[in-house]
Amino acid sequence: MDETLPTATVRTRVTVPLRFPDGYVTTARVHTFHGLVDGREHLAFGLGEHVDADPPQVRPHSECLTGDVFGSQRCDCGPQLREAVERIAEAGGYLLYLRQEGRGIGLYAKLDAYALQDDGLDTYEANLALGRGADERDYTVAAQMLGALGVDRVALLSNNPDKAAQLERLGVTVADRVSTGVHLSPANAGYLAAKVTRADHALDLPFVP
């Protein structure tokens, strides 16, 4: 890990059985941490029998209350979370649940951005119109969490090149990049298209050249 990165330590480990609405079940070893630089309560879910795989499969997943909990169709966050848990449980690794709602701008601001999207802006333009960054997420705590777990090489489960770039800058070797599925619905087509055209996400959409 990067020597300049503040050291975090594991605070608590606890076993939590998980059950998703579609009936999928697995067991996670949930970790909390001391020393995370932003002071927020981020979690690492250890999944699978081979959590010590080299490299472990890792997904940094940014919290999305509307998608993860309430099943909002305006994004693909809920389906990505569900997919990631199963794939990581099969391969062995960690899901890092990061408390940075709305690409880092917060829940209320995200809903304000939705209102601007209803008026014709895309998801990135809406954030900028609110005076925020197009994507304010910072993966320093993800690198700290991995360091506390003894992980310095990962197979990154993500379509987002910025996650890989930030982790590499923070001293985490991205040994492999694994794309998630395409979770397309009529309500999120514009959102997914913006992720491809504005942020180079690796999504194979039939309507984006």
Side-chain angles (χ1 to χ4, degrees):
M1 303 298 289
D2 189 336
E3 292 182 2
T4 66
L5 196 65
T7 299
T9 57
V10 173
R11 173 181 174 274
T12 307
R13 294 181 181 88
V14 61
T15 299
V16 178
L18 305 179
R19 182 181 180 88
F20 287 81
D22 63 359
Y24 175 74
V25 296
T26 191
T27 299
R29 293 165 295 282
V30 182
H31 302 73
T32 66
F33 298 89
H34 285 301
L36 299 179
V37 293
D38 63 4
R40 295 180 181 177
E41 295 181 330
H42 307 280
L43 300 173
F45 289 73
L47 296 160
E49 295 299 319
H50 305 290
V51 71
D52 57 351
D54 184 22
Q57 193 167 105
V58 170
R59 175 170 175 76
H61 182 91
S62 297
E63 178 181 38
C64 177
L65 179 69
T66 52
D68 296 344
V69 177
F70 293 103
S72 168
Q73 296 293 292
R74 294 190 66 138
C75 63
D76 59 345
C77 302
Q80 281 193 324
L81 176 63
R82 165 65 181 83
E83 174 194 6
V85 169
E86 183 170 3
R87 292 180 67 176
I88 296 171
E90 291 173 353
Y94 296 95
L95 184 132
L96 308 180
Y97 198 78
L98 306 177
R99 313 301 298 277
Q100 43 187 8
E101 180 86 41
R103 293 202 307 277
I105 69 173
L107 179 59
Y108 276 19
K110 180 179 83 171
L111 295 175
D112 292 341
Y114 279 177
L116 293 174
Q117 291 169 47
D118 290 342
D119 291 332
L121 299 184
D122 72 32
T123 179
Y124 297 95
E125 292 167 343
N127 279 19
L128 294 170
L130 292 172
R132 306 299 297 263
D135 189 340
E136 295 187 2
R137 288 175 295 179
D138 184 311
Y139 297 100
T140 301
V141 292
Q144 286 187 286
M145 293 159 78
L146 291 171
L149 295 167
V151 174
D152 60 7
R153 298 176 71 252
V154 302
L156 184 66
L157 180 60
S158 176
N159 302 320
N160 184 354
D162 185 51
K163 288 183 183 180
Q166 286 201 40
L167 289 175
E168 288 277 5
R169 287 198 302 270
L170 292 161
V172 179
T173 298
V174 179
D176 190 19
R177 285 181 57 185
V178 184
S179 295
T180 70
V182 178
H183 303 286
L184 176 64
S185 74
N188 71 17
Y191 167 81
L192 295 184
K195 291 210 293 187
V196 173
T197 59
R198 297 291 298 273
D200 294 325
H201 283 228
L203 287 166
D204 186 13
L205 298 176
F207 48 85
V208 177

